[in-house]
Amino acid sequence: MPASPVRLVDSDAEGGSQAVKAQQRLRELILAGELPAGSRIAELALVERLGMSRTPIRAALMRLGQEGLLEALSGGGYAVRTFSEQEVADAIELRGTLEGLAARLAAERGVPIAVMAQARVCLDQIDQLLRQVTLDDESFSSYVALNGRFHTLLAEMANSAVLAREIERASRLPFASASGFVGVQAHSPDARDMLVVAQHQHRQVLDAIGQREAGRAEALMREHSRLARHNLGLVMQNPQQAAMPGMQLIRNKV
C-alpha cells in the first residue's frame, strides 16, 4: 500500500502568520486602552495573554514600533506611544499630501477603465447610503468600509507601488486614516451633512482624474484631507469623545 504523501509545513510562513495575528491583536488592545498609553509592554505577560510564543510576539512588537504605535526604549523593550495634537495633525496632513500626489499621478498617467468603473460603483453605493434622512451606527459602519475602499482605489490609480506603500504607512495610525474620525460625526446633528460634503469632494476628485486635470485633482484631494483635521479639532474640544478608539493616545494640550 503506497505511503500517504507527507505535507511539508513552511515554518517561516506559519511564523509570519502568527506574527500578523499577534500584531492585529496587540493593535486592538492598544486602541481599546487595554494597554494604557505610556505603559511599558511586558513581553512575558503578552505570551500568557495571547497564548503565543515569544517569537511572533517579538516580531509583532517590532512591526508596531515601525508603524508608530510603540516606541523602543533605550534599555530594551517597548512602550505604548502617545501623540500630541500637532503630531496627529501632521500625520493627517502627510496623508493628504500623499493622496494628493496619487490623484495627480492618476490624472497624468491615466486610469484603466475598469478601475474607474470600480470607483464610480463605490461612490454610487455611498450616494445610496446618504439618501437616508438619518444615519444609524450600521450606516456609519458601511460608510467607513466604502470610504476606505474608495481611498484604496485612489492609491491604486497612481500605478505606483512606492506611493501606495507610503500612503498605507501614513494611514496606519487610527486617527490619520481616511475614516479615522468618521466616528466623531456619528452622533453629531450635522453628521450626514458633513459626509455629503466629503462625498461631493470624492466626486470632484474622480471627475478631475477622468478629465486628466492633474493640478485640480491634487488640490481637491489635499482639501479633502482637511475634513479629518477639522474633525480632530472637534474631538479635542469634546471630552465625551474620549472613548473613541485610539483617542487615549492623544495627549491633551498643556
Side-chain angles (χ1 to χ4, degrees):
M1 184 175 180
S4 300
V6 177
R7 187 175 69 88
L8 298 178
V9 176
D10 187 336
S11 59
D12 289 341
E14 184 175 328
S17 174
Q18 285 294 301
V20 170
K21 289 179 181 178
Q23 183 181 357
Q24 292 174 338
R25 182 63 182 130
L26 282 173
R27 188 186 292 109
E28 290 172 358
L29 291 174
I30 292 170
L31 299 183
E34 294 186 41
L35 294 176
S39 65
R40 185 186 180 103
I41 302 295
E43 188 177 297
L44 289 177
L46 290 178
V47 168
E48 181 176 349
R49 186 168 190 170
L50 301 184
M52 296 181 179
S53 68
R54 297 178 72 166
T55 299
I57 287 176
R58 282 177 177 170
L61 290 172
M62 183 178 68
R63 291 176 184 175
L64 287 175
Q66 295 170 342
E67 186 173 308
L69 282 178
L70 299 178
E71 61 179 338
L73 300 175
S74 57
Y78 294 88
V80 178
R81 277 195 65 190
T82 59
F83 303 85
S84 68
E85 183 179 350
Q86 184 61 58
E87 286 174 318
V88 177
D90 288 347
I92 293 170
E93 185 70 20
L94 175 60
R95 175 179 59 81
T97 299
L98 292 171
E99 289 190 328
L101 177 57
R104 168 179 281 279
L105 292 179
E108 290 176 346
R109 297 172 176 177
V111 179
I113 294 175
V115 178
M116 288 293 285
Q118 290 178 52
R120 290 192 180 98
V121 168
C122 183
L123 294 187
D124 287 344
Q125 291 174 325
I126 294 178
D127 280 340
Q128 183 174 355
L129 190 68
L130 295 179
R131 288 193 185 102
Q132 302 175 59
V133 177
T134 57
L135 303 178
D136 55 18
D137 289 341
E138 183 178 350
S139 299
F140 273 95
S141 295
S142 297
Y143 177 87
V144 167
L146 291 169
N147 186 52
R149 171 64 175 157
F150 176 77
H151 281 260
T152 297
L153 286 169
L154 175 71
E156 293 175 2
M157 288 178 188
N159 193 26
S160 169
V162 171
L163 184 54
R165 184 172 62 249
E166 292 308 310
I167 290 174
E168 180 184 4
R169 188 194 304 272
S171 301
R172 280 176 183 164
L173 295 180
F175 23 72
S177 69
S179 298
F181 285 105
V182 170
V184 177
Q185 303 164 352
H187 304 291
S188 169
D190 58 350
R192 181 182 170 280
D193 292 340
M194 295 177 73
L195 296 186
V196 168
V197 170
Q199 173 69 347
H200 176 70
Q201 292 176 335
H202 288 156
R203 288 286 187 188
Q204 293 289 94
V205 169
L206 197 61
D207 176 71
I209 291 173
Q211 296 295 324
R212 310 295 290 270
E213 297 173 348
R216 176 169 168 254
E218 181 174 22
L220 285 166
M221 205 63 218
R222 290 285 301 273
E223 185 65 27
H224 180 62
S225 72
R226 293 195 171 99
L227 285 177
R229 179 66 182 87
H230 171 72
N231 287 333
L232 170 62
L234 294 180
V235 168
M236 300 308 292
Q237 294 170 16
N238 185 357
Q240 294 180 351
Q241 296 294 345
M244 179 180 170
M247 287 310 303
Q248 78 281 352
L249 301 180
I250 303 180
R251 300 189 297 271
N252 291 326
K253 290 181 179 179
V254 179

